[in-house]
Structure formats: C-alpha cells, structure tokens
Amino acid sequence: MKPRRSLLFAPASDLRKAEKALSLDADGVILDLEDAVALAEKIKARSLALDVLGRAGGKAVYVRVNGVASPFLVGDLMAVMGGRPAGIVLPKAESAEEVKRVDWLMGQLEKEYEIPDQIELIPLIETARGVINAYEIAAAGARVKCLAFGAVDYTLDIGTSLSAEGDETFYARAHLVVASRAAGREAPIDTVYPDLKNPEGLARECRLARRLGYQGKLVIHPAQIGPVNEIFSPTEKEIAYARRVVEAFREAESRGVAAVQLEGKFIDYPVAVWAERILAIAGCLGLPSALEEKTENPGGSVFGTTAGESC
C-alpha cells in the first residue's frame, strides 16, 4: 500500500496551480473538475487535466470528476482516462449502484485505451445517504481501494454547519472507518480542513482523524501538506517501540509463548500486529524499520506480510 497521508486538490482549470502541485510533497494530487471549476470552464478543464496527467512523472495524480447526477460525468471520464490517472475521485457517492456504473464505464474505457492496470476509484462520501451506505459503496468493486470523507457538503446535507470542534462529523467519520474495515478496504481519507489560518486546528483535527483510524487527509493549500504528512507518519518513538514489540514477540513465539510482558505492558497477537503495521508504514515512507533491517526473519510476520510487501 503506497502512503496516502496527503492528497492535495488543484483546480484542473488553472494550469499554473496544477503544475505547481506536482512539485510539492503531497503523496498525491487531485485535479479537480468539480467544485473548483466554473460551469463555463468545465469542458476546457478536461484538456488541461489531460495535459497535467502527461507531466505527472512519478507523482500519483487523481482526477475528481463531476458526480453521477451531473451531465459532465461521462465526458469527464472519456477525456481523462486515456491519461492514465492514479485514480478517479467520485464526489457525492451515495450508493453501490452508482459506484458500479462508474466502475463499469471505467472498465470499458480501460479496454478502449488499452490500459493494462485497473485504475482506482475513490468514492467521496459527502451526504447522509452516502454515510449510511458506506459499507456497500466500499464493497462495490475491486477498484475501490478506499473511501474519502467530505465534511463540508455532509454538514450542509444534515442541516448544520462545520464547527471548529467537528462534533457534528464524529458519527460519520467513525462510521466510515468501520465500514471500510468491514469491506476489507484501506483506511479512509479524512476531509479537508478549510481554515487556512488555523494551523493548531489543523493539527488537532489530524490527530483526531488518525486516532479514529484514518490513513490521511485531503488538503487544499500547500502549507497544510507538511503538518498533515508529519502527523499521519509514525513517530520515532512509535517506530522504536514497535520494533521492540516485534522483536520481543518473535522471541516469545520461538519459545511457544503467545503473550509476553514488555516494559510493564501485556503484549499478545493484536499488539504485535499493530507493531508490524507501524513498521510496514515506516518502511513504505523510507523511515527506519526493523523489518527492513533484518536480513533473517526466522519468526516471519505475525500477520502474514512484511513491510516491503505492503507498499
């Protein structure tokens, strides 16, 4: 699994901003054909998005198309799929049926353009109906690797507004994590933080999202990338502790023991699995990882994978 700590939105209608986004440290860029593009510019923005896709290099570039209720969706997909984006972001996804229709169309275009690999589809959950149907949406097809949450439209839909505390989004956020896990998908990606002048609020919201189980966050300004990447990365302390857990548990397993105490804490299989996941993420990000450092691995992985395999 490649890291998706930060996905930066860039308007597909603004070539300068889109090209700048490619040079930044976000894990991925989302070229936006939806809310960031005026109606009069939507057709033109498609060709600009295709141009940017051609310059992506190794950067993961996604395209947010217009939604299924829009007259632009089919044209958007026909225009950009040939550019082989890393994925398509589908806004206001509300049902598995919608996702399956888009999935089918993407499959037809992959055949038309002779694209060998399946392009990802990220449903963006932005309404109450989408939240309720999150499990079915996540399970709608193999190209759906993860969900994303859009709090601004969601709060509008449920008749409230987005607050600094974010209490009104807690149920939706928690539900998306559970639904994603139940469907066997990656952890979801959290909503944008719209207050650009409140870095403390951004950090607080990132820490909350990570505790809830999110893998990263949608961002709307270059200044947000660094703090988001930092908070959604394992800390040196977490990596060091995870390394000690894995080593202690492997030693215990070699003696036929499935539980051990480490630094006064009880360690069993769930804790060992957590530790290996931390080290796997660290390995994907190029951070120190005990799993990468070991040339011999007599105990193997306690959950059947290694750090390298998860990237």
Side-chain angles (χ1 to χ4, degrees):
M1 180 186 76
K2 294 182 179 179
R4 288 190 251 225
R5 299 165 300 172
S6 56
L7 295 183
L8 172 65
F9 277 109
S13 56
D14 190 325
L15 188 58
R16 182 186 63 83
K17 289 182 179 179
E19 287 181 331
K20 168 119 178 124
L22 296 179
S23 69
L24 301 174
D25 291 333
D27 289 335
V29 172
I30 302 175
L31 299 176
D32 193 5
L33 292 172
E34 194 213 15
D35 286 348
V37 179
L39 286 174
E41 295 295 315
K42 285 191 180 290
I43 305 302
K44 179 183 177 183
R46 293 170 179 166
S47 61
L48 294 176
L50 192 61
D51 185 13
V52 175
L53 286 169
R55 309 182 194 190
K59 177 73 78 173
V61 179
Y62 303 78
V63 178
R64 178 163 73 170
V65 295
N66 288 276
V68 294
S70 159
F72 299 103
L73 171 63
V74 174
D76 288 347
L77 289 172
M78 292 178 66
V80 303
M81 284 286 288
R84 304 189 180 194
I88 296 295
V89 178
L90 180 66
K92 299 176 181 64
E94 292 194 318
S95 71
E97 290 73 23
E98 292 175 350
V99 173
K100 288 177 180 177
R101 290 201 298 270
V102 174
D103 187 337
W104 178 86
L105 181 55
M106 290 175 67
Q108 296 304 304
L109 291 170
E110 285 169 342
K111 294 176 184 176
E112 178 71 20
Y113 293 119
E114 298 181 345
I115 299 173
D117 301 318
Q118 195 175 63
I119 292 173
E120 293 182 10
L121 176 60
I122 301 179
L124 183 56
I125 308 300
E126 303 181 85
T127 65
R129 186 168 179 242
V131 170
I132 293 299
N133 292 331
Y135 169 77
E136 289 80 8
I137 291 170
R143 74 172 73 243
V144 179
K145 305 300 182 185
C146 69
L147 303 176
F149 178 50
V152 177
D153 283 287
Y154 169 73
T155 52
L156 176 65
D157 187 50
I158 65 172
T160 185
S161 59
L162 191 60
S163 68
E165 296 77 15
D167 296 345
E168 63 284 340
T169 67
F170 186 80
Y171 168 77
R173 279 173 156 151
H175 183 76
L176 260 62
V177 172
V178 175
S180 297
R181 180 59 188 153
R185 300 301 186 239
E186 294 176 17
I189 301 167
D190 193 37
T191 184
V192 301
Y193 186 75
D195 189 351
L196 301 180
K197 296 183 178 181
N198 187 0
E200 294 82 8
L202 171 65
R204 181 175 60 250
E205 191 167 273
C206 287
R207 287 191 290 267
L208 170 62
R210 189 181 176 203
R211 287 198 304 273
L212 285 173
Y214 281 77
Q215 66 168 303
K217 196 165 183 64
L218 303 171
V219 297
I220 55 175
H221 191 276
Q224 296 180 326
I225 297 171
V228 169
N229 283 350
E230 180 180 358
I231 292 173
F232 282 98
S233 299
T235 65
E236 290 183 7
K237 184 177 180 180
E238 286 175 323
I239 295 169
Y241 179 68
R243 183 182 297 120
R244 294 196 297 273
V245 168
V246 169
E247 291 172 349
F249 196 79
R250 284 179 178 163
E251 193 277 331
E253 271 196 317
S254 70
R255 295 185 284 106
V257 177
V260 65
Q261 284 193 36
L262 176 66
E263 300 171 11
K265 296 180 181 179
F266 182 76
I267 305 297
D268 58 0
Y269 276 104
V271 180
V273 170
W274 166 86
E276 285 202 343
R277 286 176 178 164
I278 290 293
L279 296 178
I281 294 170
C284 286
L285 296 173
L287 302 174
S289 167
L291 297 182
E292 289 187 328
E293 291 172 359
K294 284 181 177 290
T295 56
E296 296 182 4
N297 187 10
S301 167
V302 297
F303 65 104
T305 187
T306 67
E309 290 173 340
S310 68
C311 296

